[in-house]
Amino acid sequence: MRMPAIEPSALSDEQRVLDEQVRRMLDGLRTPFTSTDENGALIGPFPVMLRFPELARPLLEWFTTVTNGSVLATRVREVAILTIGSRYGAAYELHSHSRVALAVGLSKSVVAGLVAGQRPSALTSEELVAHDVAACLYSGAPLPGALYRCAVESFGEQGTAELVFLIAQYSSISVILNAFDVPLPTDAE
């Protein structure tokens, strides 16, 4: 861990504003994973963000823009997020979004397969498209026309754009988690 959690009493005024914003965002998501330590300090990518509020604010705004008013099914979103997290090996992302994926109805075997970097056959057709788009974009190659058309058929233009931005967003989060060696919470399996 390169940037430990910052106890709430040690936050600067600028950090406190960002801390409150993150907590409101997390409360609205009803996250089934641990996002604070035993002292109430934010963990995961948030200690890094709190240290660099000027860089974190646009990222959080981007996150809420992509999340609010989502046209994608929650399971589709989680398949894409876990596909990206597995490619980057972002432990905190995989841990937290595995819990979210289970909470929204993905099976344990599907979640385990996605975390292991596999393409589980038990995915729905839309979930398979989300997986394939995420896996393709992670590889750095252009999205093939046939896969793009399949995404548009599955999600519409708005949903396809949302999927692409979601993949870009969680790629960014994965990079941050890995660069700053963000550990799993103490309650991780």
Side-chain angles (χ1 to χ4, degrees), residues 14 28-29 69 120 126 144 154 164 171 180:
E14 188 177 21
L29 297 175
E126 287 185 342
S154 297
V164 170
S171 295
F180 294 98

Side-chain angles (χ1 to χ4, degrees), residues 1-78:
M1 173 178 16
R2 297 187 172 122
M3 298 206 172
I6 306 171
E7 290 194 33
S9 62
L11 294 170
S12 71
D13 290 341
E14 188 177 21
Q15 290 170 328
R16 188 168 288 104
V17 170
L18 189 61
D19 182 271
E20 290 169 0
Q21 179 184 354
V22 168
R23 289 174 194 273
R24 279 192 307 275
M25 180 186 71
L26 291 170
D27 286 345
L29 297 175
R30 302 190 200 322
T31 55
F33 57 88
T34 304
S35 57
T36 58
D37 67 11
E38 63 281 353
N39 298 315
L42 290 169
I43 60 171
F46 305 114
V48 175
M49 292 180 181
L50 289 172
R51 282 177 172 76
F52 306 102
E54 68 284 354
L55 299 173
R57 275 191 298 278
L59 184 63
L60 289 172
E61 183 178 333
W62 183 26
F63 177 82
T64 55
T65 300
V66 172
T67 304
N68 293 343
S70 175
V71 299
L72 294 175
T74 307
R75 287 173 49 128
V76 167
R77 293 172 58 83
E78 292 306 317

Side-chain angles (χ1 to χ4, degrees), residues 95-107:
H95 166 75
S96 59
H97 282 278
S98 289
R99 288 187 171 191
V100 174
L102 291 169
V104 300
L106 289 170
S107 71

